Amino acid sequence: MSIETDIKQKKFRSPFQKLALNLVYTTKWLEYKQLESFKEHDITPQQYNVLRILRGQQGNPIKVSDITERMLDKSSNTSRLVDKLLAKNLAKRTSCESDRRAVDVVITEEGLELLNVLDPFIEDWENRFNIISEAEAEQISALLDKLRENED
Amino acid sequence: MSIETDIKQKKFRSPFQKLALNLVYTTKWLEYKQLESFKEHDITPQQYNVLRILRGQQGNPIKVSDITERMLDKSSNTSRLVDKLLAKNLAKRTSCESDRRAVDVVITEEGLELLNVLDPFIEDWENRFNIISEAEAEQISALLDKLRENED
DNA sequence: CGGCAATAGATGTTTCTACATTAAATGTAT
DNA sequence: ATACATTTAATGTAGAAACATCTATTGCCG
């Protein structure tokens, strides 16, 4: 359904305003869809994001601050997210020897297993994006990157 | 900066996964930018969204449930958002005569003034989207609409 | 009409987010 | 080396979101 119909707004100030609204609206829609898969497994999107970053380390420990750098939402409180993963035995935390302020985090076997269970669900809805072509997906990604260039 | 650099992830499962992550990341970036303008005026993005919907009614009252339908985030608690606007004298609430369950909401003069103050800020960052062409903006919007088609 | 489901909106509760503050460890400049 | 700033992570707190429940009103069907 078009964004015009979805939010019942016929006119937009400009194609840029329309795009801004559409980005927010589409992302909310997407996050909502993901949420449905996640909550069955008692995990939040943010916790999932951290778990995936941990898996990406392939066994190597990673500091809390480095996790934050890789997160989609950099303003989130990584410390407390890691707490949640610890409480569920999905991650382990050990103090870092080279810098005793820092804390090393590693994914556990149980964490890897949970990701294995979740993977097919996530892939499933990613594959729904097949409705557009791979080239179109790449093109949007490139344009989104461009939008964020204006950093001021 | 490219999404690869921003979240320090070199490879993606597919262009679709990359797009999904980029959508979430870009929207967070965009919402953060907006937030900066809003908080100076003691208003949240959601409250702003409601105010704009009220202005769009051009003086006609609108029911709470109809506001929800037009919102970007349909899962938000419109009732309490309207409460906040009332407390700041930005909106008025009267009970609807034809249906006594319903409540009519109208924007106040003060609400309109606040929007007038905010408009240039919002337009400013929307105009930063000028870095891509109007045609490209329209094209992304159309593709986003398409992505949401798969409703299941 | 009477009963019951559906709708509109308010409210309660738990969890999360955003932001500030704290505490410890490290880096740096004199 | 000492003093001070910076970094790293944890924690405190107010406010907001998410989700369920409640109350009042309306619609509908026998």
Side-chain angles (χ1 to χ4, degrees):
Chain A
M1 201 148 54
S2 73
I3 184 73
E4 282 92 339
T5 315
D6 279 343
I7 66 169
K8 301 191 171 42
Q9 181 172 334
K10 278 172 243 151
K11 294 184 91 174
F12 298 93
R13 187 156 42 210
S14 69
F16 304 119
Q17 184 195 30
K18 180 168 153 185
L19 174 56
L21 294 175
N22 210 341
L23 277 173
V24 173
Y25 185 75
T26 303
T27 301
K28 298 255 180 242
W29 168 85
L30 195 150
E31 286 179 325
Y32 184 78
K33 292 279 169 197
Q34 281 183 288
L35 201 62
E36 289 178 334
S37 304
F38 288 149
K39 63 185 171 191
E40 287 170 31
H41 299 277
D42 192 33
I43 195 172
T44 67
Q46 301 253 43
Q47 289 169 22
Y48 175 77
N49 192 198
V50 173
L51 268 191
R52 286 214 349 162
I53 290 164
L54 293 179
R55 173 166 67 180
Q57 294 310 107
Q58 303 184 315
N60 296 318
I62 179 172
K63 290 194 296 172
V64 172
S65 56
D66 291 336
I67 296 175
T68 306
E69 271 198 330
R70 288 161 196 246
M71 288 193 64
L72 294 174
D73 183 356
K74 316 255 187 244
S75 71
S76 70
N77 195 330
T78 312
S79 200
R80 275 195 265 241
L81 283 175
V82 171
D83 279 349
K84 294 282 159 58
L85 297 178
L86 287 183
K88 289 183 255 190
N89 273 313
L90 302 173
K92 269 186 305 190
R93 183 159 59 182
T94 55
S95 69
C96 174
E97 289 170 19
S98 61
D99 182 343
R100 281 191 296 160
R101 287 168 303 183
V103 163
D104 277 337
V105 184
V106 189
I107 193 167
T108 62
E109 198 56 45
E110 213 170 325
L112 287 170
E113 279 165 24
L114 176 58
L115 285 183
N116 284 337
V117 172
L118 287 172
D119 280 342
F121 290 95
I122 303 299
E123 282 179 51
D124 262 4
W125 68 251
E126 269 167 25
N127 287 339
R128 287 195 218 141
F129 279 22
N130 254 315
I131 201 166
I132 67 175
S133 72
E134 293 205 353
E136 283 170 328
E138 288 284 8
Q139 194 201 351
I140 304 181
S141 270
L143 290 172
L144 293 178
D145 287 349
K146 219 168 160 188
L147 287 183
R148 296 194 315 278
E149 265 173 32
N150 252 328
E151 259 306 341
D152 7 312
Chain B
M1 201 149 49
S2 73
I3 185 74
E4 283 92 340
T5 315
D6 279 342
I7 66 170
K8 300 188 171 40
Q9 181 172 334
K10 276 172 243 152
K11 295 184 89 174
F12 298 92
R13 188 155 45 213
S14 69
F16 303 120
Q17 184 195 30
K18 180 168 152 184
L19 174 56
L21 294 176
N22 210 340
L23 277 173
V24 173
Y25 185 75
T26 303
T27 300
K28 298 257 182 242
W29 168 84
L30 195 150
E31 285 180 325
Y32 183 77
K33 290 280 169 197
Q34 281 183 289
L35 200 62
E36 290 178 333
S37 304
F38 288 150
K39 65 184 170 191
E40 288 170 30
H41 299 276
D42 193 33
I43 196 173
T44 67
Q46 299 255 44
Q47 289 169 21
Y48 175 76
N49 193 197
V50 174
L51 267 191
R52 286 215 348 160
I53 289 164
L54 293 180
R55 174 167 65 179
Q57 293 309 108
Q58 304 184 314
N60 296 319
I62 180 173
K63 289 194 299 171
V64 172
S65 57
D66 291 335
I67 296 175
T68 307
E69 271 198 333
R70 290 162 195 243
M71 287 192 67
L72 295 174
D73 183 356
K74 317 255 187 243
S75 71
S76 69
N77 194 329
T78 311
S79 200
R80 273 197 264 241
L81 282 175
V82 171
D83 280 349
K84 294 283 161 58
L85 296 178
L86 287 184
K88 288 183 255 190
N89 274 312
L90 302 173
K92 270 186 304 190
R93 184 158 59 182
T94 54
S95 68
C96 174
E97 290 172 17
S98 62
D99 183 345
R100 279 192 299 160
R101 288 169 304 183
V103 162
D104 279 336
V105 185
V106 189
I107 192 167
T108 61
E109 197 56 43
E110 212 170 327
L112 287 170
E113 279 165 24
L114 176 58
L115 285 182
N116 283 337
V117 172
L118 287 171
D119 279 342
F121 290 94
I122 304 300
E123 281 179 53
D124 263 3
W125 69 252
E126 268 168 25
N127 287 340
R128 287 195 215 141
F129 280 21
N130 254 316
I131 200 164
I132 67 175
S133 74
E134 293 205 354
E136 283 170 329
E138 288 284 9
Q139 194 202 351
I140 304 181
S141 269
L143 290 172
L144 292 178
D145 288 349
K146 219 168 160 187
L147 287 182
R148 295 194 314 278
E149 265 173 32
N150 254 327
E151 259 307 342
D152 3 317

